[in-house]
Amino acid sequence: MRVSTYPLIDADAAAALVLEHTPVLGMERVALAHCTGRVLAEDLVAQAPLPAFPSSAVDGYAVRAADAGKQLRVAGESAAGRPFHGRLTPGSAVRILTGGVLPDGADCVVMVEDVEEKGELVMVPTSLQPRANFHTPGADLRAGEKVLARGEELGPAELGLAAALGLPRLGVFRRPRVALMSTGDELVEVGEKPEPGQIVDSNRWALLAALREAGADVKGIGIGPDEPDALRRLVIDALRDVDVLVTSGGVSVGTHDLIKPLLESLGTVHVGRVKLKPGKPFTFATLPDGKLAFGLPGFPVSSLVTFEVFVRPALRKMQGHARLQRPTLPVRLGYDARATADRTEYQRVTLRREGKDFVAVSTGSQSSSRLMSLAGAHALVRIPPGDQGINAGTIVEAIILSLP
Ligand code: AMP
Ligand code: MG
């Protein structure tokens, strides 16, 4: 029997080792339209107050609270973007529309619903509150105030804020450029008819989606052969303009498993075997110029689970994210789970809400070739190593992929 010479590393220790060797990428200036999901590499400070001027919150009349109960002459109009030029004098009112500048001399806005309009005259209520119905300058943000901190992720509200501050481009962490390659002489392209003994390369499409979802900019390399020299040339060429190499297949101990020795010859292999199910042959190496290589196992579920556990957190670290892991929740096992003696197992489940709890239901056979165990799964439940297994009803930790 062929045995691997790589030590079997604890799954958490392997994940920590990967992150330890993962750099945070540099900053680039990016237009707002392309900043969604990116992480700020610099603090954003308000250069001017927001709002910049007293602006009406309603449609109505800008008046002086001291003129409560009087009939006032309408001196003009202040619409959004078209201010009233001049000063509000005692005994007069200025028609104002939402977003219009409060004229000098006015100290409140009375809503149109609360006045009686008679031609060029308007009757205002007997009680008016100074400061009512308009936004004071700086109410939302004061000049000099820190608006967003380095490390914050940019979503709709953050991007709206950046635009409001007058910033068309933002300094964000670079996205990792990733070369993605499947390996194996048995593989054919999707859409081609497999001959006997051949299978369709499905990992590349699953991993392409997983990489993109994790924020990577992916360069597709196609299918690499099970031939050392050709594979080596392909990998060296692929590595030229990327930060990360992700391969699938070719990491177990069979004769045609060429990835480990190849990475060994190009850099340093830090992880060659993990106490993880599925995903025992997962391989991680650092390469010259701060590049990383992830050799994912060939079985489709193994490649995606090891992506979740090792690659996704690393890609998030590269992009400056503070939270590297997916959220986890304690869930109640809805089935008796068998454990693996010496490996942490991630079992694929759907979740069902029962009262205050989420109950985990197995997606069926957990074979590492059965993608149906992961399709539609809400979570990966973590079954620690052991001989006993875990009984239904026990609370276990689940990595949440999506909630039902
Ligand atoms: P390997 O790690 O190269 O020995 O691959 C293990 C098994 O995973 C192979 O026998 C295939 O059944 C499967 N496999 C490998 N690569 C792929 C791929 N790109 N797409 C789908 N299945 C694959
Ligand atoms: Mg193979």
Side-chain angles (χ1 to χ4, degrees), residues 24-87:
V24 177
L25 299 177
M27 182 183 105
E28 61 180 350
R29 295 230 152 255
V30 173
L32 289 181
H34 303 289
C35 281
T36 314
R38 304 289 291 270
V39 179
L40 268 180
E42 58 188 2
D43 293 343
L44 293 192
V45 174
Q47 299 300 320
L50 262 186
F53 54 83
S55 107
S56 183
V58 296
D59 293 334
Y61 289 86
V63 299
R64 299 172 342 124
D67 282 342
K70 293 186 187 161
Q71 195 163 57
L72 306 176
R73 190 181 52 80
V74 179
E77 183 180 271
S78 177
R82 277 179 284 120
F84 172 74
H85 295 291
R87 208 185 146 76

Side-chain angles (χ1 to χ4, degrees), residues 183-187 226 248-252 256-257 298:
T183 70
D185 286 341
E186 76 278 31
L187 300 178
D226 286 330
S248 81
V251 285
S252 46
H256 297 294
D257 296 316

Side-chain angles (χ1 to χ4, degrees), residues 181-184 186-187 199-204 207 223 226 248-254 256-257 281 296-300 303 368-369 371:
M181 184 172 77
S182 300
T183 70
E186 76 278 31
L187 300 178
I199 61 168
V200 173
D201 175 8
S202 65
N203 287 352
R204 192 144 45 95
L207 291 169
I223 301 168
D226 286 330
S248 81
V251 285
S252 46
V253 285
H256 297 294
D257 296 316
L296 308 185
F299 284 112
S303 69
S368 59
S369 62
L371 264 185

